[in-house]
Amino acid sequence: MIGRKKIKFPSSVNISVASFTPTPSLPFCNRKIIVNGPLGSLELPIFPYVDVKIKSPEQIYQESVASGLSDPDEPVPNHSEALVVVEDPSDRKQKMMWGTSRSLLNSMIEGVTEAFTIPIRLVGVGFRATYVKEDNSLVMKLGYANNIVMTVPDGVEVNVPQPQRLLLRGIDKAKVTQFAAMIRSWRKPEPYNLKGVFVGDETIKKKEGKKR
């Protein structure tokens, strides 16, 4: 079960729990997990029955030695551990949120330490993209009469190493993937001419047109 798995994280990351004011979209959340790292900070509102337990390197070392798994002469590990817990693992709703919270926390740790990068390819004659730094916008030519102009959301960086290649980067996985999906929606890959906006390592199988 995903929720039971411990998450190892480096000393450069700090995880804490603070109070959270419920919102219309999250009326039952009263606390939040805060993850601070070298690249920034992320927050995750949690339900009252969800919590996270943190073990420091010293605690991990002491427990390992006490259980006989480590020798007292071994060095203290250079990482901490986070364990997501719920009040009643047998409850179906809590069980589902258990695994979800664990996955989201793991992504947050990865985001603030390494960030997420998504490559995008524009495949088609005349397709090209330009990032305009002055107004933080992405301008794309995708075969329409007018250019597509998109405002880059906060927390997402856009790099255009080649006219038909984009790189999206950010610490919030949801924001980066959502913006990638928005870009793709302007010209979804089509199977007849294999043209369109391809996200990540996306590929499609070519279809033959109807023969007359």
Side-chain angles (χ1 to χ4, degrees):
M1 186 179 296
I2 295 177
R4 296 182 186 276
K5 295 182 178 179
K6 298 176 181 178
I7 305 174
K8 294 182 179 180
F9 61 94
S11 58
S12 59
V13 173
N14 179 66
I15 300 176
S16 60
V17 177
S19 60
F20 174 78
T21 303
T23 63
S25 59
L26 297 168
F28 303 111
C29 296
N30 60 359
R31 292 178 303 150
K32 60 184 177 182
I33 299 174
I34 304 174
V35 181
N36 290 294
L39 301 182
S41 178
L42 293 172
E43 298 182 355
L44 173 65
I46 54 177
F47 288 91
Y49 53 78
V50 177
D51 199 2
V52 59
K53 306 295 185 183
I54 305 298
K55 284 185 181 179
S56 66
E58 291 75 18
Q59 290 174 313
I60 297 172
Y61 170 77
Q62 291 173 2
E63 290 185 6
S64 183
V65 171
S67 61
L69 296 176
S70 297
D71 189 277
D73 294 330
E74 292 184 14
V76 175
N78 58 2
H79 67 271
S80 298
E81 290 180 351
L83 179 66
V84 177
V85 296
V86 292
E87 291 180 356
D88 184 5
S90 63
D91 181 83
R92 183 172 177 272
K93 185 177 181 180
Q94 293 191 30
K95 187 176 180 180
M96 291 176 60
M97 189 53 61
W98 192 11
T100 299
S101 299
R102 194 268 180 197
S103 296
L104 291 173
L105 177 57
N106 190 54
S107 292
M108 291 166 68
I109 294 172
E110 184 178 348
V112 300
T113 53
E114 301 176 8
F116 294 97
T117 301
I118 298 180
I120 295 178
R121 291 174 292 122
L122 309 182
V123 181
V125 177
F127 287 13
R128 61 192 298 114
T130 304
Y131 172 65
V132 182
K133 185 177 181 180
E134 287 71 24
D135 57 3
N136 192 35
S137 64
L138 177 64
V139 181
M140 297 181 293
K141 294 183 178 180
L142 296 176
Y144 299 112
N146 298 315
N147 293 341
I148 307 299
V149 181
M150 302 179 69
T151 299
V152 179
D154 293 337
V156 178
E157 298 176 6
V158 176
N159 185 27
V160 186
Q162 298 174 6
Q164 292 187 312
R165 186 166 178 261
L166 309 173
L167 288 175
L168 306 185
R169 186 175 185 271
I171 65 174
D172 190 326
K173 185 177 182 180
K175 281 187 177 182
V176 179
T177 54
Q178 182 180 22
F179 189 51
M182 291 173 62
I183 295 173
R184 182 182 183 275
S185 68
W186 283 104
R187 181 70 81 176
K188 296 179 180 178
E190 54 91 4
Y192 295 102
N193 295 310
L194 300 181
K195 296 193 306 183
V197 178
F198 292 77
V199 176
D201 56 359
E202 180 180 15
T203 59
I204 57 173
K205 187 176 181 180
K206 183 176 176 61
K207 288 185 178 181
E208 297 295 332
K210 293 183 179 180
K211 298 181 179 179
R212 296 181 179 180

